[in-house]
Amino acid sequence: MYSSTLKGFVLAVVSSAFIGASFIIKKKGLRRAGVNGPRASVGGYGYLLEPLWWIGMITMIVGEIANFVAYIFAPAVMVTPLGALSIIVSAVLAHFLLKEKLQKMGMLGCLLCIVGSTVIVLHAPEEQSINSVEEIWALATQPAFLLYTASAVAIALVLILHSAPRYGQTNIMIYIGICSIIGSLTVMSIKAIGIAIKLTLEGTNQLEYFQTWIFGTVAVTCIVTQLNYLNMALDTFNTAVVSPIYYALFTSFTILASAIMFKDYSGQSASSIASELCGFITVLSGTVILHSTREPDPPIITDLYTPLSPRVSWYIGGNGELWKQKDDDGSPPSFITILRPDYFK
């Protein structure tokens, strides 16, 4: 038992290291791709031709596979909180490799996100045992979860079609919100696929059920959507902020989806529910601190004629004789020249 749990622990730590590093590698690839064409944040797909981005993508896939296998050997209450280690990895690597400075208050925000998410998961109820894809299909088609799914898809479509084109470049919550909401549906589908694979390897073929293929289609669609908008978020905002906010929101929506689908909280005690509420508040506080202390990324130069130095403004006095030079930042004039009336004669 202990050797199995140890394997799960090691796999979870390895998973977090790979996923955290993938954020940095992919962003470096996005930056390289943005030099030669449209950036991902404005709808460009040049990063698909960038080898460094694919290295980051492979790194993330390896991390996700390790995370998936970790759930086989260890309980979720241990594996899920360890996912917060990816935040620390990405923040540290971004500080040294991307020169994205993490302020002291930003470090506090990271800590709050980690602590809050850990409290939520540690007080979450145990998962019920599922023995077939058909059982998950019955849970997924119950009215409560269908309502959640419809609401999640509707909100995601509003964010994608209305909010992203207008506010995606200035509001970090747009892109990450899409990833997190869709991600909760991804996890439910991935869990069904995992059970199908496990039962098939044990001798009970689940591929003959149409539900397995529906879950697979939903998972692929959601994963592609997540990756697209995650790339936009990484290409637009500071990595040290994207990682913890994405982790916090993704964890929150996933727990909510799981609670609705599996009715996990029906037997919860008042103390456990109160602890989870405190965890949500802690995560929210950390998210606000991180967002408020974010260093703005440098502006994107889209015009070859954009001036690289501060602009200069000239002012003429009422008598036409006094000229001043003044910088944009409101600094005092560097010199004042008095022109004689007969200068232009």
Side-chain angles (χ1 to χ4, degrees):
M1 175 179 178
Y2 289 103
S3 61
S4 177
T5 303
L6 181 60
K7 289 180 181 178
F9 173 78
V10 173
L11 285 169
V13 173
V14 171
S15 169
S16 297
F18 272 86
I19 293 175
S22 72
F23 275 96
I24 309 305
I25 299 174
K26 287 169 64 179
K27 182 151 188 175
K28 290 184 71 70
L30 289 170
R31 287 184 175 181
R32 285 189 182 181
V35 174
N36 301 318
R39 296 163 61 103
S41 57
V42 295
Y45 293 94
Y47 60 85
L48 295 176
L49 302 177
E50 176 57 48
L52 189 59
W53 183 87
W54 282 108
I55 293 176
M57 192 67 217
I58 294 173
T59 303
M60 175 173 279
I61 292 174
V62 172
E64 294 294 348
I65 292 176
N67 188 62
F68 178 80
V69 178
Y71 280 99
I72 298 177
F73 295 100
V77 294
M78 187 193 75
V79 176
T80 307
L82 291 176
L85 295 176
S86 63
I87 298 175
I88 300 176
V89 173
S90 62
V92 172
L93 291 180
H95 180 79
F96 291 103
L97 300 181
L98 301 181
K99 306 305 179 183
E100 296 180 353
K101 188 176 181 181
L102 185 62
Q103 305 290 344
K104 291 182 178 179
M105 289 301 294
M107 295 179 184
L108 175 62
C110 285
L111 179 61
L112 288 175
C113 287
I114 294 172
V115 171
S117 299
T118 302
V119 170
I120 292 173
V121 175
L122 289 179
H123 290 85
E126 296 182 359
E127 299 179 358
Q128 57 179 295
S129 177
I130 304 295
N131 299 314
S132 71
V133 174
E134 289 181 315
E135 290 186 28
I136 295 186
W137 181 260
L139 295 172
T141 54
Q142 58 185 328
F145 189 73
L146 288 177
L147 178 60
Y148 173 83
T149 302
S151 301
V153 172
I155 294 174
L157 288 176
V158 171
L159 292 176
I160 292 172
L161 301 177
H162 179 269
S163 301
R166 294 171 174 82
Y167 313 112
Q169 297 293 309
T170 57
N171 192 330
I172 193 174
M173 303 303 292
I174 302 297
Y175 293 149
I176 298 182
I178 296 171
C179 296
S180 302
I181 294 172
I182 297 298
S184 65
L185 301 179
T186 302
V187 172
M188 300 300 105
S189 301
I190 289 296
K191 181 173 182 178
I193 296 173
I195 292 176
I197 294 175
K198 178 182 177 182
L199 293 175
T200 299
L201 294 177
E202 292 177 350
T204 305
N205 187 12
Q206 300 292 309
L207 299 179
E208 59 186 18
Y209 297 104
F210 74 92
Q211 293 93 334
T212 302
W213 299 102
I214 293 178
F215 283 125
T217 302
V218 172
V220 171
T221 303
C222 292
I223 289 173
V224 171
T225 303
Q226 279 182 265
L227 290 177
N228 182 48
Y229 285 95
L230 181 58
N231 286 330
M232 290 185 177
L234 288 172
D235 196 37
T236 307
F237 301 102
N238 192 304
T239 305
V241 182
V242 171
S243 298
I245 294 178
Y246 175 61
Y247 170 79
L249 290 182
F250 173 73
T251 302
S252 300
F253 279 111
T254 299
I255 291 177
L256 177 61
S258 180
I260 295 174
M261 184 170 177
F262 298 103
K263 295 184 175 64
D264 294 325
Y265 295 96
S266 58
Q268 279 287 90
S269 63
S271 60
S272 296
I273 297 176
S275 297
E276 292 174 56
L277 179 60
C278 291
F280 272 106
I281 296 175
T282 304
V283 171
L284 179 60
S285 301
T287 302
V288 171
I289 292 175
L290 278 168
H291 188 40
S292 62
T293 59
R294 182 177 71 90
E295 287 188 347
D297 291 337
I300 303 171
I301 298 177
T302 57
D303 188 347
L304 292 177
Y305 300 99
T306 301
L308 298 179
S309 59
R311 291 194 298 268
V312 177
S313 301
W314 292 84
Y315 299 90
I316 305 177
N319 57 6
E321 296 181 352
L322 182 61
W323 292 58
K324 296 182 181 180
Q325 186 180 34
K326 187 177 182 181
D327 294 337
D328 268 350
D329 58 0
S331 58
S334 57
F335 63 85
I336 298 176
T337 303
I338 304 296
L339 300 180
R340 293 178 300 176
D342 59 348
Y343 181 83
F344 295 99
K345 294 181 180 180

